[in-house]
Amino acid sequence: AGTMAFQMYGDAPEVSIIGATDSVLEFIPYHLEYICTELLKNSFRAALEHCYVTKASILPMIECLIVEGPHELVIRFSDRGGGIPLEDRRNIFRCSLVFFFLLHGGFP
């Protein structure tokens, strides 16, 4: 994901991985790799675009926190991309709703 960000934007934030980095997890590697890559791509884009808009001179680091519980493993990516503006939050899932209605014969 960092390579993709560098090719697209000419720069990429560093990623810090902290927490339970020695955890053992049974999973299908492709699935976890795909999900993490997509989340990192989003974080890279958000951080880079936020730096561009705010004219920040230093890219903020992206943090990957791994926490292990008795029956689960949580992976959290934190960036400083500015988030979703309040006025847009009510519409963030609207795209999937439109797609649902299109698949099922139109809007009610």
Side-chain angles (χ1 to χ4, degrees):
T3 302
M4 287 185 255
F6 194 82
Q7 290 174 346
M8 182 85 162
Y9 296 98
D11 205 353
E14 291 184 34
V15 178
S16 169
I17 302 172
I18 59 173
T21 58
D22 58 350
S23 297
V24 177
L25 175 68
E26 291 184 33
F27 64 95
I28 300 172
Y30 175 77
H31 294 161
L32 187 62
E33 180 181 331
Y34 178 81
I35 292 166
C36 288
T37 299
E38 291 301 314
L39 291 171
L40 278 170
K41 283 179 6 186
N42 290 344
S43 288
F44 284 136
R45 182 190 50 76
L48 288 160
E49 288 177 0
H50 186 68
C51 277
Y52 177 77
V53 168
T54 61
K55 300 186 184 344
S57 59
I58 299 174
L59 283 173
M61 185 177 290
I62 294 171
E63 183 179 279
C64 174
L65 173 64
I66 303 170
V67 179
E68 186 175 7
H71 303 288
E72 67 276 344
L73 187 78
V74 177
I75 302 172
R76 181 181 74 181
F77 294 97
S78 300
D79 59 58
R80 302 288 178 251
I84 300 170
L86 288 174
E87 62 271 10
D88 293 337
R89 288 187 186 176
R90 67 176 177 265
N91 296 320
I92 60 174
F93 296 110
R94 191 174 189 104
C95 178
S96 60
L97 184 63
V98 169
F99 186 68
F100 173 82
F101 285 126
L102 290 174
L103 284 176
H104 293 89
F107 294 93

